[in-house]
Amino acid sequence: MQNAYFPLFVAKERLEAEKDHVEGFAPEVAWVTKSGSSDLAAPIAIRPTSETIMYPAYAKWIHSHRDLPLRLNQWTNVVRWEFKNPTPFLRTREFLWQEGHSAFARKEEADEEVLQILDLYARVYEELMAGPDIKGRKSEKEKFAGGLYTTTVEAFIPTNGRAIQGATSHCLGQNFSKMFKIEYVDTDAATKLVWQNSWGLTTRTIGVMVMVHGDDTGLVLPPRLAPIQVVTIFIVSSKESPARQAEIVKRTADVAASLTRAGFRVKNDDRDSYTPPFKFAHWEMKGVPLRLELGPRDYEGGTVKLVRRDTGEKMVVPADDTLPATIATLLTTIQADMLAKARRERDSHVAVVTEFPHFVPALDRGDMVLAPWCERIACEEWVKDATGPKAAAAAKAAAKEAAAAAAAGGAAAAAAAEGTLGGVWGRGGGALVCVVYTPTH
C-alpha cells in the first residue's frame, strides 16, 4: 500500500463516465460554476469521492499483470451537499477521510481484500474507540453507487436509538475498469479488465465515539485514543506554609514528568489561578480517562489519588516505582470496561423479530431489529414505505395492514426456516437502513 494524493476537482464528463455512480451521487455533488465574476465554460465538481478522479491515472499506469496489484491510499477531504441539517462529525457537508483504491487481476483477490479492510475498520472501532460494531453487507439498494457489493461496519447510538454507518469496504467489480479502460495483459497474453475495490473511514468515527461514550458531564475518551491519558493536579491549602505548598506543586510536576518518561500522554495542570474543583470539572468535560491528585495527605503518605473518568471510582496508590505499572493496568482496564459497557448497551437494543407487527414497535423503542429477509429490493422498499412518515395514515386501514403484516410475517418465517441471512434494520438520520448481517464475517 502506498500513500498518494489526487486533485480536489473533477471534470463533469469524468464524473458522469459511470452512469450508476453519478446517479447515486448526483444529489450530493457541489459544483463550481464561477471563477471570480466570470462564468466557467463548464461546471467543475468538487469530489464527493475519488473514483472518477483517480481511475484515468490507473488506466495509464496499468498495462501488464506485473503492474498488479495496485493499491493506493489517500488522506483527503470530500464534499457532499445533500442535506439541510448537518451535525458536527456525524453528517457534515465537508469531511476528512482515508480512502483506499485497489486494482487486482483476480476477483478472488479483490474479495479477500474487501474483508481484510472490513476487519481493520472493525478493529478501529472496537480496539481503539472501545465501540462495538456490526459487520455486514449492505443491501443492493444501499450499496455504493456503481459498485458490485458493499460491506460495512455499523455502529449504534443508544442515547437516541440510531444506527450509523461506521465505515465501508466496497468491491467495485469491473464497472469502473470498463468505463475507464483499465486493462492489463495477463500471463496467457489475453487483455483483461482489472477487478477493483475502494474503501473509506471518515471523521464520523469521532462523532460515534463521542455519542457512544459521552455523558451529561462531557466527553468520556477511551485511553488508547485520548490525547491526554492522565492529568495531574496539585491540591494545596492556605493552612500549609508557602514552602510546603511549593513542595507539593513540585512533587506533582515530578510525578507528571516521570509518567511522561514512562510513555504516557500526561498533562500537568499547574495553573494556580483556578481551584482544584474547577480543574476537576474542566478535565472531566474534556474526557481525560484518569485524574491524578496530589495533596497534603498524599505528600505526607507518599501516595497519590487516582480517579477514573468513566466510573468516577477513586483509589489511593503508592507514588513509588510501581506507579507506572499501576496506571498502565488501570488504563487497560478502563479501555476494556468501556467496550464491555458499550457492547452491553448495544446488545440490549437488538430485537429479534419474525413477525412484521412487532417490527415498528421495536424501532420506536430505539432498537435495531434483526429479522429474516429475502434480500429483494422490492421487499426492502416496501418495509421502508411501511415504516416511514407516511405509514401512520396507512396504518388506519386495519384490514389492509393486517393482511400485509400477515404476508410479511409469513415470508419472514419462511425465510427463517430456509436459513436466509438476517437483515439488521435501524433508523439512522431519519431513514431506515438495512444491512445483511453476516456473522461469519
Side-chain angles (χ1 to χ4, degrees):
M1 184 70 62
Q2 292 180 304
N3 283 321
Y5 182 80
F6 287 79
L8 174 67
F9 300 112
V10 54
K12 183 178 180 181
E13 60 270 18
R14 284 192 176 179
L15 184 65
E16 295 178 347
E18 211 292 326
K19 180 175 179 293
D20 291 338
H21 182 70
V22 70
E23 287 181 355
F25 281 105
E28 309 175 358
V29 178
W31 294 94
V32 178
T33 59
K34 283 183 173 290
S35 172
S37 59
S38 302
D39 292 335
L40 296 180
I44 299 174
I46 302 175
R47 61 177 166 225
T49 182
S50 297
E51 281 76 6
T52 56
I53 300 173
M54 298 174 70
Y55 294 165
Y58 277 47
K60 294 179 180 179
W61 295 338
I62 297 173
H63 302 286
S64 164
H65 65 90
R66 298 180 184 89
D67 299 322
L68 297 171
L70 177 60
R71 307 174 74 202
L72 298 182
N73 172 74
Q74 67 172 351
W75 301 86
T76 187
N77 60 339
V78 296
V79 173
R80 297 182 182 176
W81 209 276
E82 88 284 17
F83 53 90
K84 297 180 180 178
N85 299 305
T87 303
F89 291 113
L90 297 180
R91 289 182 66 80
T92 55
R93 292 191 176 100
E94 178 188 10
F95 56 85
L96 304 177
W97 73 350
Q98 156 276 318
E99 59 172 321
H101 295 266
S102 306
F104 297 94
R106 306 284 181 265
K107 182 177 184 294
E108 293 78 13
E109 297 176 279
D111 290 335
E112 182 180 4
E113 186 199 58
V114 166
L115 295 182
Q116 287 176 342
I117 298 299
L118 189 70
D119 286 340
L120 288 176
Y121 287 156
R123 290 179 61 190
V124 168
Y125 275 92
E126 295 213 351
E127 296 180 17
L128 297 182
M129 297 193 305
D133 57 72
I134 295 176
K135 289 188 289 185
R137 181 165 169 161
K138 288 281 191 181
S139 65
E140 281 296 301
K141 186 176 177 63
E142 295 286 340
K143 73 179 183 180
F144 182 75
L148 183 61
Y149 64 87
T150 290
T151 64
T152 179
V153 291
E154 299 285 319
F156 180 72
I157 311 300
T159 52
N160 62 8
R162 298 289 182 180
I164 185 167
Q165 178 179 290
T168 48
S169 179
H170 317 285
C171 180
L172 302 180
Q174 294 179 312
N175 287 344
F176 288 92
S177 59
K178 288 177 184 176
M179 292 299 159
F180 292 98
K181 300 188 185 326
I182 309 175
E183 302 172 333
Y184 72 99
V185 177
D186 206 348
T187 54
D188 59 3
T191 299
K192 300 177 181 178
L193 295 169
V194 301
W195 292 86
Q196 292 180 264
N197 294 338
S198 69
W199 25 276
L201 179 77
T202 81
T203 42
R204 177 179 287 178
T205 55
I206 299 173
V208 171
M209 179 180 65
V210 170
M211 295 291 287
V212 167
H213 298 304
D215 58 24
D216 291 341
T217 301
L219 299 177
V220 181
L221 300 180
R224 292 194 68 183
L225 276 187
I228 301 172
Q229 295 173 309
V230 184
V231 59
T232 58
I233 298 174
F234 67 82
I235 302 173
V236 295
S237 169
S238 58
K239 297 178 182 179
E240 301 290 331
S241 67
R244 177 54 59 89
Q245 292 182 29
E247 290 171 358
I248 293 174
V249 171
K250 183 180 183 303
R251 180 172 294 181
T252 305
D254 291 343
V255 169
S258 68
L259 293 177
T260 299
R261 290 192 297 271
F264 300 102
R265 298 186 290 276
V266 182
K267 170 68 176 179
N268 180 39
D269 190 344
D270 57 0
R271 296 174 293 175
D272 57 10
S273 56
Y274 294 99
T275 65
F278 178 92
K279 295 179 182 180
F280 297 166
H282 175 81
W283 294 111
E284 285 174 359
M285 181 178 65
K286 289 184 175 291
V288 175
L290 197 59
R291 184 172 78 238
L292 184 152
E293 304 170 11
L294 199 155
R297 288 186 181 179
D298 302 303
Y299 182 83
E300 294 292 341
T303 61
V304 294
K305 180 186 290 186
L306 302 178
V307 184
R308 290 175 57 163
R309 172 63 181 90
D310 62 322
T311 64
E313 180 185 355
K314 301 177 180 179
M315 61 201 77
V316 176
V317 301
D320 55 20
D321 293 342
T322 65
L323 183 60
T326 299
I327 289 180
T329 299
L330 188 53
L331 291 177
T332 300
T333 300
I334 292 172
Q335 183 85 22
D337 288 353
M338 289 178 65
L339 175 58
K341 178 185 177 184
R343 183 175 283 129
R344 286 194 303 271
E345 290 180 342
R346 192 275 312 274
D347 291 348
S348 70
H349 286 280
V350 177
V352 179
V353 172
T354 57
E355 297 181 352
F356 191 75
H358 304 303
F359 190 89
V360 177
L363 292 174
D364 290 342
R365 290 195 304 268
D367 290 343
M368 290 189 294
V369 176
L370 176 60
W373 177 49
C374 65
E375 301 183 54
R376 292 195 294 267
I377 292 178
C379 292
E380 180 180 356
E381 291 176 341
W382 182 90
V383 172
K384 291 184 177 182
D385 289 341
T387 58
K390 298 179 181 178
K396 295 180 180 179
K400 183 178 180 181
E401 181 70 17
E418 295 172 2
T420 301
L421 291 174
V424 177
W425 303 77
R427 288 196 171 117
L432 191 70
V433 296
C434 180
V435 174
V436 182
Y437 180 51
T438 50
T440 56
H441 292 164

